[in-house]
Amino acid sequence: MPALPIPQIQVRGLVPEVSAQISSGTAGAVAGGIASIATGVAAEIQRQRNDEDSLAIANSVTRLRAGATEDMQDDGQGPEGMADRIKARFEKRIEGEYGRLSPRARRAFDERQAGGLRAQIAATAGAAELEERRKRLASDFDTGLDAGRKLVYANPAAFNDEAARRLALVDVMDLPSGVKDRLRTRTREELALSAATSMAERHPEELLGRANLDDPKKAEQAVKNDPLLSSLSPQALNQTLRMAQTELNRRSAEGAYELASRTKDVQSMTMSGVPVPAGTAPTQEEYTRRFGPSGAARWQDEVGNYLQIGGAIQAMRVATPEDRNAMITAATPTPGQGFAGGLQMRDALIQAKQVVERQMVADPAQYALTNSPRVQQAY
């Protein structure tokens, strides 16, 4: 039987070689071309499906990672159980993503992505929980350290015990060694600064004495041997010592003014014939602290002599004119030991006599009413 003629078929959009085979007019070529077309179309469809699945899986992975990050940031329930909570939420997010994927993409996700993602999230969540635990530990420690600062400020003598207690807490904290070292240094410095600041404000002389600033050669060793001063940073040490010196200077200026003011009050009251109230007059000890070795002599000139005059005035007030003169004569010293003191007393009596006589002349009636027992009895 003669071969049947094969019509010339023009197939558009196919690969050139397939099109050529079909156009060649042979039955075998047509069958082979059709098979190639079917195979190519199937492969293209599979490739497109694979691309779609890959894109869907990639989008799911992106959403899962972003969601896990959000869960860690917004947990807000404290470090206890944080990793387990994040992993549980992650599993719910995976279930949600399954609904977005085709069965084929879901299988591919489980085979290629799920295990690695879970491991990553578990590691990240564990690290986040550890970091939150460290933050809480640091926060609790800072709260305690603040209380410690207040304690040693109120009582600087408690520095050693409080520092030892706080450093013992650092030793048992679950922190890297480098972090612990920094925390120990910070603890000592902050507690020492609070205690030293308190001393600079309240007991500046003691703080400066501990630093032995009067002897620069020994000052460095004194600081090293002092648990409080050696715990300060160099900047804090200089700061507190300057503060102490400033406070000491301020007190000295105020003390000098207060001492001078009280001295003037004593002198004024004495020369006006007004009795000096007990505790008003500066003491010889105060003068010695203020003026050093010359303080005792200065006190005698500025305070002691006036107190003698005051006592003499009280005696002169109730004495007759003859008795007043007799008191002065009796107080005149004889040459020998004690002459200087006797001379001071005689001079005090002379001044007292002058004060009394001025008061008598200025207001005789008031003087008599104030100082004469007989007049006081009559009234």
Side-chain angles (χ1 to χ4, degrees):
M1 177 182 289
L4 296 174
I6 302 300
Q8 301 296 314
I9 302 173
Q10 299 295 327
V11 181
R12 298 179 180 179
L14 298 178
V15 292
E17 57 270 25
V18 174
S19 201
Q21 290 175 1
I22 294 176
S23 300
S24 65
T26 66
V30 171
I34 292 174
S36 297
I37 291 173
T39 301
V41 169
E44 177 64 19
I45 292 173
Q46 185 62 43
R47 185 188 66 78
Q48 291 178 2
R49 287 176 177 173
N50 290 340
D51 288 346
E52 291 174 356
D53 289 344
S54 296
L55 180 60
I57 291 171
N59 289 337
S60 290
V61 170
T62 299
R63 285 190 295 269
L64 287 169
R65 285 176 172 162
T69 300
E70 181 180 341
D71 290 340
M72 282 183 273
Q73 292 174 344
D74 298 342
D75 180 66
Q77 298 181 41
E80 291 77 10
M82 179 179 180
D84 290 338
R85 290 193 299 273
I86 291 172
K87 288 187 289 185
R89 293 184 192 124
F90 187 71
E91 291 300 323
K92 290 182 179 180
R93 289 183 181 277
I94 288 180
E95 291 297 326
E97 290 300 325
Y98 280 158
R100 297 172 179 261
L101 299 174
S102 67
R104 183 179 52 256
R106 191 181 309 158
R107 288 192 298 273
F109 172 80
D110 285 337
E111 291 172 1
R112 298 192 299 245
Q113 299 287 346
L117 276 176
R118 286 187 174 97
Q120 290 176 11
I121 296 304
T124 304
E129 179 176 321
L130 180 59
E131 181 62 22
E132 286 300 313
R133 288 182 182 277
R134 288 175 176 172
K135 286 180 180 179
R136 172 174 286 185
L137 194 62
S139 176
D140 293 344
F141 185 84
D142 285 345
T143 300
L145 183 57
D146 184 58
R149 285 194 297 265
K150 294 177 181 177
L151 172 66
V152 299
Y153 181 83
N155 179 21
F159 168 76
N160 289 340
D161 290 342
E162 182 63 16
R165 190 176 72 84
R166 301 303 306 177
L167 292 176
L169 291 177
V170 175
D171 291 339
V172 299
M173 293 172 73
D174 182 19
L175 294 172
S177 59
V179 175
K180 283 188 176 183
D181 289 341
R182 290 192 295 272
L183 195 55
R184 290 187 188 98
T185 299
R186 176 180 159 225
T187 297
R188 285 192 294 265
E189 288 183 351
E190 292 193 12
L191 290 176
L193 180 58
S194 292
T197 299
S198 175
M199 292 185 66
E201 294 173 352
R202 302 173 187 177
H203 308 288
E205 285 181 293
E206 180 183 348
L207 182 64
L208 293 171
R210 287 171 67 163
N212 203 9
L213 296 182
D214 293 335
D215 189 344
K217 294 181 181 179
K218 297 181 180 179
E220 183 177 357
Q221 192 61 39
V223 170
K224 287 182 179 179
N225 293 338
D226 190 294
L228 171 61
L229 298 181
S230 61
S231 296
L232 292 166
S233 68
Q235 296 83 358
L237 176 62
N238 291 333
Q239 171 189 330
T240 51
L241 291 180
R242 285 197 303 269
M243 185 187 303
Q245 188 61 58
T246 299
E247 176 62 17
L248 194 62
N249 293 341
R250 183 190 68 80
R251 291 186 182 187
S252 179
E254 289 185 355
Y257 174 82
E258 191 265 346
L259 192 65
S261 177
R262 288 166 61 199
T263 297
K264 288 181 180 179
D265 288 341
V266 168
Q267 293 173 351
S268 178
M269 285 187 288
T270 298
M271 299 312 296
S272 300
V274 177
V276 178
T280 301
T283 65
Q284 191 176 51
E285 182 182 358
E286 289 177 294
Y287 262 71
T288 301
R289 283 200 306 266
R290 177 68 182 88
F291 300 108
S294 64
R298 186 163 180 169
W299 177 86
Q300 186 60 47
D301 289 339
E302 297 182 0
V303 180
N305 290 343
Y306 281 86
L307 293 177
Q308 289 179 332
I309 293 172
I313 288 175
Q314 301 310 313
M316 288 283 184
R317 280 179 170 169
V318 296
T320 64
E322 293 78 12
D323 289 338
R324 286 196 285 270
N325 291 330
M327 291 170 63
I328 293 173
T329 301
T332 301
T334 57
Q337 188 174 5
F339 181 83
L343 193 62
Q344 286 181 345
M345 188 59 196
R346 188 205 65 179
D347 292 341
L349 288 169
I350 292 174
Q351 292 187 57
K353 178 175 178 292
Q354 293 170 350
V355 170
V356 169
E357 290 175 349
R358 283 198 302 269
Q359 291 178 342
M360 292 173 62
V361 172
D363 192 344
Q366 181 61 38
Y367 180 85
L369 183 61
T370 303
N371 298 285
S372 173
R374 283 180 288 183
V375 173
Q376 291 175 352
Q377 290 175 0
Y379 285 89

